Amino acid sequence: MNDAVLANIKASITTIPDYPKAGIMFRDITSLIQNNQAFNQTIDCLVAQFQDQGYTKVLGAEARGFIFGAALAHRLNIGFIPARKPNKLPRETVSQEYQLEYGTDALHIHKDAVSSNDNVLVVDDLIATGGTIIAAINLVRQLGATVTDAAFVVALPDLGGEDKLTALNVKPFSLISFEGE
């Protein structure tokens, strides 16, 4: 990947200090997706990294993982699985709870979303502590499919999420990273 392209992607992300609380530097990808050039470059980089790797599906975590995951699945010419919050999917689902800073949440996927023949690439916009994407990985594995890789636009390595994925034998890949929270 071209350093100038990665620099453009990083520059297109707006940092919001003290959001949602004091001390947090929120990395807002909405400015990236509003920038046609940066968004296309992001998807091009992800395609270059993951094409011809034998994936059969891409799973995107609600909500921003939908944006990047669906575009990537389209470009890889494979199916897309939305991992949704509770009560958002109409058919029978499996669910996985995960920890938030102040409580828990859950992700759901349709029970028939994957089979043991599937090799699933999980995608989200950002990896911080890893809770959301670990829940997504557990859902896919619960249904018997394989997950070996996870893709992100942004990593916050100081928060340890990438190390947690490695401990689960999932290789994290991020286009860019930011120090701190």
Side-chain angles (χ1 to χ4, degrees):
M1 279 165 255
N2 180 313
D3 288 343
V5 168
L6 294 176
N8 185 57
I9 291 168
K10 190 169 189 173
S12 73
I13 296 171
T14 303
T15 299
I16 312 295
D18 299 321
Y19 182 85
K21 65 180 192 170
I24 302 293
M25 299 295 282
F26 187 81
R27 310 304 177 170
D28 183 14
I29 59 90
T30 59
S31 52
L32 181 152
I33 61 177
Q34 291 169 346
N35 178 326
N36 185 50
Q37 180 187 40
F39 183 60
N40 282 323
Q41 289 172 330
T42 299
I43 300 306
D44 288 346
C45 288
L46 292 171
V47 168
Q49 180 69 27
F50 294 106
Q51 67 186 353
D52 301 323
Q53 300 293 315
Y55 299 105
T56 57
K57 306 254 174 85
V58 171
L59 179 146
E62 187 166 341
R64 293 175 300 268
F66 293 175
I67 298 163
F68 299 101
L72 180 58
H74 171 72
R75 293 276 306 278
L76 294 176
N77 198 32
I78 58 178
F80 176 75
I81 303 162
R84 303 285 323 258
K85 301 291 173 117
N87 303 312
K88 300 290 184 181
L89 294 172
R91 299 189 317 272
E92 187 176 1
T93 65
V94 292
S95 67
Q96 177 70 50
E97 282 194 356
Y98 61 97
Q99 291 295 313
L100 299 170
E101 191 170 352
Y102 299 106
T104 62
D105 207 343
L107 285 180
H108 293 247
I109 63 173
H110 283 124
K111 209 171 193 177
D112 61 356
V114 297
S115 73
S116 60
N117 297 325
D118 284 313
N119 183 18
V120 180
L121 174 63
V122 293
V123 176
D124 207 352
D125 67 317
L126 181 140
I127 176 101
T129 64
T132 303
I133 212 69
I134 290 169
I137 291 164
N138 289 337
L139 285 170
V140 171
R141 289 179 172 172
Q142 179 182 342
L143 294 174
T146 301
V147 177
T148 58
D149 294 275
F152 309 94
V153 177
V154 176
L156 302 178
D158 295 344
L159 297 180
E162 292 171 305
D163 294 334
K164 292 176 188 173
L165 294 185
T166 301
L168 292 173
N169 294 314
V170 174
K171 181 181 173 189
F173 172 81
S174 301
L175 293 176
I176 59 170
S177 63
F178 290 96
E179 292 181 10
E181 295 186 19

